[in-house]
Amino acid sequence: ANASRIFKTVCRDWIFLALLGFIMASLSFGMDYAILNLQNAQMLLYDWVIDIHILLSLLVWVGYVVGLTVASALFAHYIAQQAIGSGIPEMKTILRGVILKEYLTVRTLISKMIGLTLSLGSGLPMGKEGPFVHIASVVAAQLSRLVHGSSSGIFENETRSAEMLAAGCAVGVACTFSAPIGGVLFSIEVTSVYFAVRNYWRGFFAATCSATLFRILRMFSISDSVTVEAHYQTNFPPQNTFLLQELPIFALIGLICGLLGSAFVYIHRRTVLFLRRNSIAKKMFQKYWIIYPIVIATFISSLSFPQGLGQFMGGQERFSHTMTEFFMNCTWTAENGASSACLTENGTSSWGDKFDIHHWKGPNMAYSPFITLACFQTVYFFLAILASTLPVPSGIFMPVFVLGAAFGRLVGEGVYQMFPDGMNDDAGFEIRPGVYAVVGAAAFCGAVTHTVSVAVIVFELTGQLCTLLPVMIAVLIANAIASYLQPSIYDSIIRIKNLPYLPDIPHTSSLYHEMRLEQFMITPVVFIAKDSSLADVRQAIESKPKVRAFPLVDSLDSLALVGSVSRSQLQRLIDARIGTKARYAEATRRI
Amino acid sequence: ANASRIFKTVCRDWIFLALLGFIMASLSFGMDYAILNLQNAQMLLYDWVIDIHILLSLLVWVGYVVGLTVASALFAHYIAQQAIGSGIPEMKTILRGVILKEYLTVRTLISKMIGLTLSLGSGLPMGKEGPFVHIASVVAAQLSRLVHGSSSGIFENETRSAEMLAAGCAVGVACTFSAPIGGVLFSIEVTSVYFAVRNYWRGFFAATCSATLFRILRMFSISDSVTVEAHYQTNFPPQNTFLLQELPIFALIGLICGLLGSAFVYIHRRTVLFLRRNSIAKKMFQKYWIIYPIVIATFISSLSFPQGLGQFMGGQERFSHTMTEFFMNCTWTAENGASSACLTENGTSSWGDKFDIHHWKGPNMAYSPFITLACFQTVYFFLAILASTLPVPSGIFMPVFVLGAAFGRLVGEGVYQMFPDGMNDDAGFEIRPGVYAVVGAAAFCGAVTHTVSVAVIVFELTGQLCTLLPVMIAVLIANAIASYLQPSIYDSIIRIKNLPYLPDIPHTSSLYHEMRLEQFMITPVVFIAKDSSLADVRQAIESKPKVRAFPLVDSLDSLALVGSVSRSQLQRLIDARIGTKARYAEATRRI
């Protein structure tokens, strides 16, 4: 009976984690499906009315986005306001031991799921990774209650719940990108301070279960001949992906991404604080809070209108889909007909990429991709920040990822223009702007989130490891720079929201081992000797009005420290000997 | 001045890590070069004398191996005995806070480097990963002394040294496989209990520096047109690497590898303990210790003699090179001329693999690869254990990795025989035994070392991520089974060597939350009431001679607990009232 009991309880852990993985895979799959259909519906509607009148199509385009955004905001507002925003900062707080119970209820779960589906369906520049971490954590917490029985609290154990929540976070990230390894590492980096290595396997196990089911579901739904593929599979040749001569450029991308990432975090914080502190904004949020999402959604969606400004920034594609285009193997700015061009002479793209270069060159190939890419980045840099201030569930990771990829692609195309035949004389060593896009995406994300493991996520997303060296170099440099300039976006939000948090443990850099007392001691030292006169004592306490205790030395000659005397004691002593009372007492005695 | 001081001290950390990476890359490169040449020299010698007489060639073959092994053993014995063995168990002990200073001296470094070059050059089934971790740690420790100034110990700081050592370990693993990410994760899993996430970047930075320099060196030395490639680059098609129907087979591989891994650790421990405790062995080791390496090296090398038994187990290739062959994309047992065969009709291998199938089918294609593979595994399973008991620097990771790959390849070839046209009707979905080899290698290593991150190392080694799902599934299952059956090989060695170690923190499994007091309480409870008679008390303490304190209740009716009384107090009370003295006193009073 005892053996079976042990077996049962051991298995329970495994079953719990497997269940967590499976549930999250199903939820993720279902939501992906709904989001994709909502986004496609907008395109269909748009295509349908485009022939009638351009103004009507603008109205439909903007109306659709505003409608979904408002629906999402209303949902989040009336069901559970805890669903608003990313969720990672809150999970970080919870995993550090603060109890925020209302963040882990079924009500929050429902609000977050439906809200997220609506807000992402609108096509605004938002991500789903933060909300997914939140959703997975709620599922883990609720499942924990179910599997480990009863809400009576008798079997509850803080460490244990924290472990399960951590597994939840890992599954959340892993689901978003179907990146089981990177997801686990990312969630550790983002939420933990000290990590218990013995719990390492939990996250991996749950994430692997989730990835397995997710791919099975995808196989049956797409019914493609391709069984298993990465989210944004790239097709770089594994041997000659880059030359070592290009490494300094990748390092430079890391440097710039570090600076841009810090700027992103800084501007995000200033924007949010402005909206919170400005009296007009405050009033608006309290009384007519629904106006804000309407205004912002209208603004963002009209900017991205494909017939309008959208044509300068790849507006035909939904924001999150542009990623695939940035990672394309072909070179956007290569001359038509060149071997690496996206539009070769027979009208197809080189290397079999399914990609319409018109998205980035305009319908008549009139614009340079340099201009559209620069527009895209500048505009979405601010739009992503604006979108993240909306009162709907939204993540920050994906927009940052896309922005980084756009920046990398821009640099890569520039380098290609400088070295159209590659840096080496041999054939097959062309500059590949797609590699630069991958590097840029990883570096910018690394800078904003202060994580190294984003590199692993990128490898799993692209399904290729040949970009390992450039990505690692750029991510590390971006990280180093960003962490000296700004907190991570999640820590920044924790401070904005005044969530309780433990201060960071400072790095044990050599700094502390180099500092000496003489650098901050007060000189000259004021001290009192056993043979000091009362005048000396008085002068000492008057010369240093802020010092609360004085060192006491054996004699003025030896200066050997024997102890310390507090100011108040000295004061009392002096008062007793030469103060008003003392003098009065002395006086009466003489009478 | 203050700003420049901060700048200097901050940079010092970075420079330290970069230097560490660069030094290790150079050392690694140099040693690889020397080892390769030593191994090639044996082959050249062998080819040269093979025509003269077979016995002469056997003599040369065995003599070469024995000579190098003995040289290595002598070196380790007289320069620094700390160089013997892997080094990871010692590093684990050191990182847990135990000071083993003699393991981090320059003398040990030299002994380990030269000893390792000689022992690996002999071609015995040994790895270099453990010794490399040791070497990198020594370099880190020595560099730390140089960079952070003075051996005076004033600036020394335990946490700080530990951090630097941890970075050293990471670089060591990363160097061995040029796997920067997997290396860092593996070293964390193997050496840490709790890991401070803020130090995460150190390992990555040093490992990336090392990987960069290593690849630059390799490019200049090989002067190949291929700039950057993985160690054991595989060429599986990223889309159709495996079918989901194959996943249960991969899980089964994980299961068996878990069992085999535990067996490996168990047999290894029994062998070492036998050699340490057996009186004959003891005598031999103390007086004529050099005999043991001679005997073992002779035994192993004569078994692998290519003209003898070696032809049944791929003897033409050095042990560590067989890996490449196990990972080949083509199918060994496919009929000649089949699309996936290693020997197609025009005499070349399919998919352009550079591979000589004669290694595994014998010179006349007479043997089945099933037999040679099975021989290879069985023989090397025990030879690897034997080789690890030699008094030379040697690692255990690589032999285990090769064994796992061989096992995977065997299973894969079997599955191919069952489904020669694949499990699916579509073309391009053949069973790929190479994928099975990758899965087997990862699972067996995971089982022996109790790590999950071995999966990441495998991806970096093969340069492909398309095997992610099978590898993760197999590794997790192998891990789970192995950790319930045996400690990891490193913990096992720690116990054998009686190194000081902290006991493992138990997993917080639900087990503890399911246990109730009633399961181990003593029933019926013996208690004492305020209204108990002396007879009751006496009976109570006599009935439970081992209970040291009795609960005290308010009355026999209410049974409300009011406290506890110790046995000694009760004893004294009884003695005082009805003991010999009391009775004597009573008697005298009555007189």
Side-chain angles (χ1 to χ4, degrees):
Chain A
N2 207 32
S4 94
R5 175 186 281 271
I6 289 177
F7 180 75
K8 238 170 71 184
T9 44
V10 163
C11 276
R12 197 177 276 186
D13 261 27
W14 289 87
I15 292 170
F16 169 83
L17 292 168
L19 260 181
L20 175 62
F22 290 149
I23 292 175
M24 277 313 294
S26 316
L27 289 185
S28 167
F29 187 78
M31 285 173 66
D32 276 2
Y33 187 78
I35 291 166
L36 193 72
N37 278 339
L38 280 175
Q39 292 184 347
N40 287 344
Q42 184 186 16
M43 279 297 169
L44 284 178
L45 260 173
Y46 169 75
D47 285 341
W48 188 47
V49 294
I50 190 82
D51 303 325
I52 306 174
H53 196 279
I54 185 151
L55 267 182
L56 183 66
S57 71
L58 176 64
L59 208 71
V60 167
W61 179 268
V62 172
Y64 192 87
V65 175
V66 172
L68 284 183
T69 310
V70 167
S72 171
L74 283 172
F75 219 94
H77 189 84
Y78 288 110
I79 305 289
Q81 299 203 27
Q82 288 78 20
I84 292 171
S86 160
I88 290 186
E90 286 81 7
M91 289 318 301
K92 188 167 185 169
T93 313
I94 292 174
L95 278 175
R96 285 190 184 176
V98 181
I99 295 166
L100 302 172
K101 277 228 164 166
E102 70 280 15
Y103 275 90
L104 298 175
T105 58
V106 177
R107 204 180 161 95
T108 308
L109 178 69
I110 294 169
S111 169
K112 192 123 201 174
M113 277 176 58
I114 300 186
L116 182 68
T117 309
L118 293 171
S119 62
L120 287 183
S122 74
L124 288 180
M126 291 170 174
K128 60 177 187 169
E129 152 267 15
F132 256 61
V133 169
H134 192 172
I135 291 174
S137 303
V138 182
V139 171
Q142 294 298 328
L143 205 60
S144 196
R145 263 185 49 194
L146 276 180
V147 174
H148 299 107
S150 70
S151 51
S152 69
I154 281 182
F155 296 126
E156 261 183 38
N157 172 303
E158 257 186 48
T159 325
R160 198 172 162 62
S161 328
E163 282 167 11
M164 291 309 171
L165 271 188
C169 289
V171 174
V173 186
C175 265
T176 323
F177 306 115
S178 56
I181 298 174
V184 173
L185 299 180
F186 184 81
S187 77
I188 289 175
E189 265 197 284
V190 164
T191 57
S192 303
V193 178
Y194 274 90
F195 183 72
V197 174
R198 75 205 139 91
N199 292 324
Y200 208 45
W201 65 271
R202 282 180 207 276
F204 281 111
F205 179 70
T208 306
C209 287
S210 155
T212 310
L213 185 66
F214 191 84
R215 298 204 168 177
I216 292 175
L217 286 174
R218 212 163 88 154
M219 189 185 73
F220 281 116
S221 71
I222 303 180
S223 69
D224 196 345
S225 69
V226 173
T227 49
V228 176
E229 208 185 17
H231 247 62
Y232 297 111
Q233 181 76 47
T234 53
N235 288 309
F236 307 127
Q239 267 87 34
N240 305 322
T241 323
F242 62 95
L243 280 177
L244 290 170
Q245 291 92 307
E246 291 174 67
L247 288 184
I249 308 176
F250 294 126
L252 197 70
I253 292 182
L255 186 96
I256 300 173
C257 280
L259 296 173
L260 287 177
S262 303
F264 187 88
V265 173
Y266 179 77
I267 297 173
H268 174 266
R269 192 167 59 243
R270 298 309 319 169
T271 312
V272 175
L273 288 180
F274 171 80
L275 288 173
R276 295 204 165 202
R277 287 178 187 163
N278 183 278
S279 58
I280 303 168
K282 241 173 165 173
K283 211 172 179 180
M284 196 172 82
F285 279 124
Q286 275 158 13
K287 282 202 179 164
Y288 316 104
W289 64 270
I290 197 71
I291 290 179
Y292 184 69
I294 294 177
V295 171
I296 298 292
T298 310
F299 178 63
I300 298 180
S301 58
S302 48
L303 267 182
S304 69
F305 182 59
Q307 294 288 95
L309 289 171
Q311 57 187 306
F312 294 104
M313 38 193 202
Q316 276 92 345
E317 271 294 343
R318 317 306 310 119
F319 180 72
S320 57
H321 295 186
T322 49
M323 188 70 101
T324 332
E325 310 194 336
F326 295 135
F327 286 170
M328 281 293 159
N329 207 348
C330 60
T331 309
W332 295 4
T333 56
E335 282 177 42
N336 287 351
S339 68
S340 59
C342 288
L343 195 66
T344 50
E345 282 185 340
N346 49 18
T348 61
S349 160
S350 60
W351 292 297
D353 291 337
K354 284 177 209 150
F355 168 49
D356 189 357
I357 188 66
H358 292 101
H359 289 170
W360 297 96
K361 285 192 170 179
N364 307 317
M365 306 287 268
Y367 318 130
S368 158
F370 286 111
I371 291 169
T372 51
L373 274 171
C375 275
F376 180 87
Q377 282 164 69
T378 323
V379 171
Y380 274 110
F381 188 89
F382 296 102
L383 289 193
I385 291 175
L386 263 188
S388 76
T389 63
L390 287 175
V392 297
S394 69
I396 205 93
F397 189 95
M398 188 48 99
V400 168
F401 204 63
V402 172
L403 278 172
F407 174 69
R409 168 60 76 170
L410 183 68
V411 175
E413 297 286 346
V415 175
Y416 176 84
Q417 287 301 319
M418 287 168 66
F419 303 96
D421 301 318
M423 293 188 178
N424 198 317
D425 293 334
D426 301 353
F429 280 95
E430 294 94 356
I431 302 292
R432 293 173 184 279
V435 175
Y436 287 75
V438 172
V439 172
F444 196 50
C445 263
V448 171
T449 60
H450 286 202
T451 54
V452 180
S453 50
V454 73
V456 182
I457 293 184
V458 165
F459 302 138
E460 287 180 277
L461 267 181
T462 59
Q464 289 202 291
L465 264 172
C466 46
T467 51
L468 192 140
L469 220 45
V471 166
M472 285 303 291
I473 290 174
V475 166
L476 282 168
I477 292 177
N479 243 297
I481 289 172
S483 45
Y484 280 113
L485 294 178
Q486 285 287 325
S488 81
I489 186 87
Y490 304 118
D491 286 333
S492 174
I493 294 175
I494 285 180
R495 286 180 208 181
I496 292 170
K497 287 198 172 179
N498 289 322
L499 292 170
Y501 74 102
L502 295 170
D504 275 338
I505 301 167
H507 290 261
T508 46
S509 91
S510 340
L511 208 58
Y512 302 104
H513 303 280
E514 284 294 304
M515 218 176 254
R516 282 156 219 211
L517 274 178
E518 58 177 9
Q519 285 174 258
F520 50 86
M521 71 185 283
I522 297 164
T523 47
V525 182
V526 176
F527 56 87
I528 291 163
K530 276 187 181 171
D531 50 0
S532 291
S533 64
L534 275 179
D536 295 339
V537 172
R538 186 177 203 164
Q539 204 209 331
I541 61 175
E542 277 173 0
S543 70
K544 296 281 174 192
K546 282 187 177 169
V547 176
R548 296 209 292 197
F550 294 87
L552 178 68
V553 296
D554 194 41
S555 73
L556 285 169
D557 301 323
S558 73
L559 288 181
L561 186 71
V562 290
S564 75
V565 198
S566 74
R567 163 183 293 275
S568 56
Q569 274 179 315
L570 288 173
Q571 196 73 54
R572 240 177 294 137
L573 173 83
I574 290 172
D575 280 353
R577 287 292 167 106
I578 54 169
T580 328
K581 272 191 189 167
R583 262 180 285 156
Y584 185 74
E586 188 67 20
T588 47
R589 197 186 304 162
R590 292 216 180 142
I591 294 168
Chain B
N2 207 31
S4 95
R5 176 186 281 271
I6 291 177
F7 180 75
K8 238 170 72 184
T9 44
V10 163
C11 275
R12 198 177 276 185
D13 263 27
W14 288 87
I15 292 171
F16 169 84
L17 292 167
L19 260 180
L20 176 64
F22 289 149
I23 291 175
M24 278 313 294
S26 314
L27 288 184
S28 167
F29 188 78
M31 287 174 66
D32 276 4
Y33 187 78
I35 291 167
L36 194 71
N37 279 337
L38 280 175
Q39 292 183 347
N40 287 345
Q42 185 186 15
M43 278 298 170
L44 284 178
L45 260 173
Y46 168 76
D47 284 342
W48 188 45
V49 294
I50 189 85
D51 302 323
I52 307 177
H53 195 279
I54 185 154
L55 267 181
L56 183 67
S57 70
L58 175 63
L59 207 71
V60 166
W61 180 269
V62 171
Y64 192 88
V65 174
V66 172
L68 285 182
T69 312
V70 168
S72 171
L74 283 171
F75 220 95
H77 189 83
Y78 288 110
I79 306 289
Q81 299 203 26
Q82 288 79 20
I84 291 171
S86 158
I88 291 185
E90 287 81 8
M91 290 318 301
K92 188 166 186 171
T93 312
I94 291 174
L95 279 174
R96 284 188 185 178
V98 180
I99 295 166
L100 302 172
K101 278 226 164 167
E102 69 281 13
Y103 275 91
L104 299 176
T105 58
V106 177
R107 204 181 161 93
T108 309
L109 177 69
I110 294 169
S111 170
K112 193 127 202 172
M113 277 176 59
I114 300 187
L116 182 68
T117 309
L118 293 170
S119 63
L120 287 183
S122 75
L124 289 179
M126 293 168 172
K128 60 176 188 172
E129 151 267 13
F132 256 62
V133 168
H134 191 173
I135 291 173
S137 304
V138 181
V139 171
Q142 294 299 329
L143 205 60
S144 196
R145 262 184 50 194
L146 276 180
V147 174
H148 299 107
S150 70
S151 51
S152 69
I154 282 183
F155 297 126
E156 262 184 36
N157 173 303
E158 257 186 49
T159 328
R160 193 169 167 64
S161 328
E163 282 168 10
M164 290 309 169
L165 272 187
C169 289
V171 174
V173 187
C175 265
T176 323
F177 306 117
S178 55
I181 298 172
V184 174
L185 299 179
F186 183 80
S187 77
I188 290 174
E189 265 196 285
V190 164
T191 57
S192 305
V193 178
Y194 275 91
F195 184 72
V197 175
R198 77 204 138 93
N199 292 324
Y200 209 46
W201 66 271
R202 281 178 207 277
F204 280 112
F205 178 70
T208 306
C209 287
S210 155
T212 311
L213 185 66
F214 191 84
R215 298 204 169 177
I216 291 175
L217 286 174
R218 213 163 87 153
M219 190 188 71
F220 282 115
S221 71
I222 303 180
S223 68
D224 198 347
S225 68
V226 173
T227 49
V228 178
E229 206 184 17
H231 246 60
Y232 298 111
Q233 181 75 48
T234 53
N235 289 308
F236 307 129
Q239 267 87 36
N240 304 323
T241 323
F242 62 94
L243 281 175
L244 289 170
Q245 291 93 308
E246 292 173 68
L247 287 184
I249 307 177
F250 294 126
L252 198 70
I253 292 182
L255 187 95
I256 299 174
C257 280
L259 295 173
L260 287 177
S262 304
F264 187 88
V265 173
Y266 178 76
I267 296 173
H268 174 267
R269 192 167 59 242
R270 300 306 323 167
T271 312
V272 175
L273 288 179
F274 171 79
L275 288 173
R276 295 203 165 203
R277 287 176 188 164
N278 183 276
S279 56
I280 303 169
K282 240 175 168 172
K283 213 174 180 179
M284 197 173 81
F285 279 125
Q286 276 157 12
K287 283 201 179 169
Y288 316 104
W289 64 270
I290 197 69
I291 291 179
Y292 183 69
I294 294 178
V295 171
I296 299 294
T298 310
F299 179 64
I300 298 180
S301 58
S302 49
L303 267 182
S304 69
F305 182 59
Q307 295 287 95
L309 289 171
Q311 57 187 303
F312 295 103
M313 37 194 204
Q316 275 93 344
E317 271 294 343
R318 317 307 309 121
F319 180 72
S320 57
H321 297 186
T322 48
M323 187 72 102
T324 332
E325 310 195 336
F326 295 136
F327 287 171
M328 282 290 159
N329 208 347
C330 61
T331 309
W332 295 2
T333 56
E335 280 176 45
N336 287 351
S339 70
S340 59
C342 288
L343 195 67
T344 50
E345 280 185 343
N346 49 19
T348 61
S349 160
S350 60
W351 292 299
D353 291 338
K354 282 175 210 150
F355 168 49
D356 188 357
I357 188 67
H358 292 102
H359 289 169
W360 297 95
K361 282 193 171 179
N364 308 316
M365 306 288 270
Y367 318 128
S368 157
F370 286 112
I371 292 170
T372 53
L373 273 171
C375 275
F376 179 88
Q377 280 163 72
T378 324
V379 172
Y380 274 108
F381 188 89
F382 296 102
L383 289 193
I385 291 175
L386 263 189
S388 76
T389 63
L390 286 176
V392 295
S394 68
I396 205 93
F397 189 94
M398 187 47 99
V400 168
F401 203 62
V402 172
L403 279 171
F407 175 70
R409 169 60 73 167
L410 184 69
V411 175
E413 297 286 345
V415 175
Y416 176 85
Q417 288 300 319
M418 288 168 67
F419 303 96
D421 301 318
M423 293 188 177
N424 198 317
D425 293 335
D426 301 352
F429 280 96
E430 293 94 356
I431 302 291
R432 292 173 187 278
V435 175
Y436 287 75
V438 172
V439 171
F444 195 51
C445 263
V448 171
T449 61
H450 287 204
T451 54
V452 181
S453 50
V454 74
V456 182
I457 292 183
V458 165
F459 301 139
E460 287 180 276
L461 267 180
T462 59
Q464 290 202 292
L465 265 170
C466 47
T467 51
L468 193 139
L469 219 46
V471 166
M472 285 304 291
I473 291 174
V475 166
L476 282 168
I477 293 177
N479 244 297
I481 289 172
S483 46
Y484 279 114
L485 293 177
Q486 284 288 323
S488 81
I489 186 85
Y490 304 119
D491 286 332
S492 174
I493 294 176
I494 285 180
R495 286 180 209 181
I496 292 171
K497 288 198 172 181
N498 289 320
L499 292 171
Y501 75 102
L502 296 170
D504 276 339
I505 301 166
H507 289 261
T508 46
S509 91
S510 342
L511 207 57
Y512 301 105
H513 304 279
E514 283 295 303
M515 220 174 253
R516 281 157 218 215
L517 274 177
E518 59 177 8
Q519 285 174 257
F520 50 87
M521 72 185 282
I522 297 164
T523 46
V525 182
V526 176
F527 55 86
I528 291 163
K530 276 188 180 170
D531 49 2
S532 291
S533 64
L534 276 179
D536 294 340
V537 173
R538 185 177 206 162
Q539 205 208 334
I541 62 173
E542 276 172 3
S543 70
K544 296 282 173 192
K546 282 189 177 169
V547 175
R548 297 209 291 198
F550 295 88
L552 178 67
V553 296
D554 195 41
S555 73
L556 285 169
D557 300 326
S558 73
L559 287 182
L561 185 70
V562 290
S564 74
V565 197
S566 74
R567 163 182 292 272
S568 56
Q569 274 179 315
L570 288 173
Q571 196 71 55
R572 242 179 291 137
L573 175 83
I574 291 173
D575 279 354
R577 287 293 167 105
I578 55 169
T580 328
K581 270 189 190 167
R583 261 179 286 155
Y584 185 75
E586 188 67 19
T588 48
R589 198 186 302 166
R590 290 210 181 146
I591 291 168

